[in-house]
Amino acid sequence: MFGREKIEYKTAEQVRVMRRAGLVVADAHAAVRDAIRPGVTTAELDAVAAEVIGAAGATASFLGYHGYPATLCVSVNDEIVHGIPGDRVLEPGDVVSVDCGAIVDGWHGDAAFTVVLPDADPADVALSDATEAAMWAGIAALATGERLGAVGEAIEDSVEAAGTGYGIVQEYIGHGIGSAMHQPPDVLNYRTRERGPRLRAGMCLAVEPMLTRGSRMTQVLEDDWTVVTVDGSRSAHWEHTVAIGPDGVWVLTAPDGGAQALAAHGVTVAPWE
Ligand code: MF3
Ligand code: CO
């Protein structure tokens, strides 16, 4: 039944392989961050990520997923998620969300970040910062909460605290992750009446809020992939893959395991090593 599908609880050994996948994703992110600037095409960024993943002996998880044609999703301005890399040339002030997944020995890592290119509108920077802050609030709730619903509560509270009337996208949400990219349970970015499953060691979850500067309503373009805001407002997307271990959380796609960002929430990360 909906919301009651079987959760894949990972062993320590499996989480350690997922950490390797997570670090490949982190390396791909770093390389794309270095390459991203006005004048570059989104296809060039895709090639940068593909090179890093291939050199690591890993596999790009998006390529071929339900027919998806690229290594990255690169979503620009009013594009929220699932933008397909191509000959689009990035421009000053663009809001660029980069999403990347990699597989190592059958185990997945998945993460996304947003950058605002130079000549940024400060309101776009604030949007990206609020989205990142909401993601970390959600991740902190995995450490401090009892049930998965705590994540959506924390994200919604964080967005409300930003106080600028951002839209929280509802059609696209976080997910369990492990031997497949998308697994139960759903990880909502907003409050519901459902408290959700109990948070337990061995759960691995992708936490990925998407915020807009306007309406939360979405539509899919003719390419059947690119998701845009209905009102044309700009959007940001941040994501990390997180493992819950016996002693706490470990952010598998963050090089420092999430230590720095979670310290601000009073959370100490607990690598499952
Ligand atoms: N990374 C997306 C997610 O976070 C999924 C990308 S869909 C794909 O769930 F088709 F591009 F792979
Ligand atoms: Co994801």
Side-chain angles (χ1 to χ4, degrees):
M1 284 290 109
F2 183 73
R4 296 189 190 281
E5 305 105 307
K6 199 157 183 285
I7 294 171
E8 178 184 74
Y9 293 94
K10 283 74 173 174
T11 65
E13 198 179 347
Q14 290 166 340
V15 168
R16 282 194 290 269
V17 183
M18 290 182 66
R19 172 61 165 170
R20 287 168 51 213
L23 290 177
V24 172
V25 171
D27 285 346
H29 276 195
V32 170
R33 270 185 188 283
D34 276 350
I36 203 163
R37 57 184 160 72
V40 80
T41 68
T42 55
E44 287 171 316
L45 299 179
D46 196 67
V48 166
E51 166 66 26
V52 171
I53 293 170
T59 305
S61 46
F62 298 0
L63 188 62
Y65 181 83
H66 294 278
Y68 187 75
T71 293
L72 296 181
C73 298
V74 183
S75 307
V76 184
N77 296 339
D78 63 324
E79 297 172 357
I80 302 166
V81 275
H82 303 165
I84 302 175
D87 52 18
R88 179 176 187 151
V89 179
L90 295 179
E91 293 181 10
D94 276 350
V95 177
V96 187
S97 299
V98 176
D99 194 348
C100 183
I103 311 169
V104 170
D105 292 346
W107 294 87
H108 288 248
D110 182 9
F113 66 92
T114 296
V115 287
V116 187
L117 297 187
D119 292 341
D121 179 343
D124 288 334
V125 176
L127 169 74
S128 178
D129 288 350
T131 310
E132 184 183 13
M135 173 193 67
W136 285 113
I139 293 170
L142 289 176
T144 58
E146 277 197 13
R147 288 179 181 270
L148 186 59
V151 174
E153 287 175 21
I155 288 172
E156 196 172 317
D157 286 348
S158 175
V159 174
E160 253 156 47
T164 37
Y166 295 130
I168 302 178
V169 169
Q170 295 196 354
E171 289 84 4
Y172 304 89
I173 55 180
H175 48 94
I177 179 168
S179 63
M181 176 164 59
H182 290 143
Q183 298 183 326
D186 290 343
V187 182
L188 304 184
N189 295 315
Y190 51 90
R191 258 193 184 80
T192 61
R193 298 177 49 186
E194 298 281 330
R195 297 165 66 211
R198 194 170 289 284
L199 295 170
R200 275 182 43 192
M203 281 181 163
C204 292
L205 304 158
V207 177
E208 51 175 319
M210 287 149 250
L211 303 187
T212 77
R213 283 178 57 187
S215 158
R216 68 169 181 79
M217 302 310 290
T218 67
Q219 79 189 73
V220 180
L221 297 185
E222 301 258 289
D223 63 15
D224 280 341
W225 281 104
T226 313
V227 180
V228 299
T229 57
V230 165
D231 65 358
S233 64
R234 292 182 163 196
S235 173
H237 177 205
W238 281 82
E239 174 180 25
H240 271 306
T241 296
V242 185
I244 303 178
D247 304 313
V249 298
W250 188 16
V251 183
L252 302 178
T253 43
D256 75 346
Q260 199 194 325
L262 290 174
H265 289 271
V267 170
T268 306
V269 298
W272 197 354
E273 297 177 309

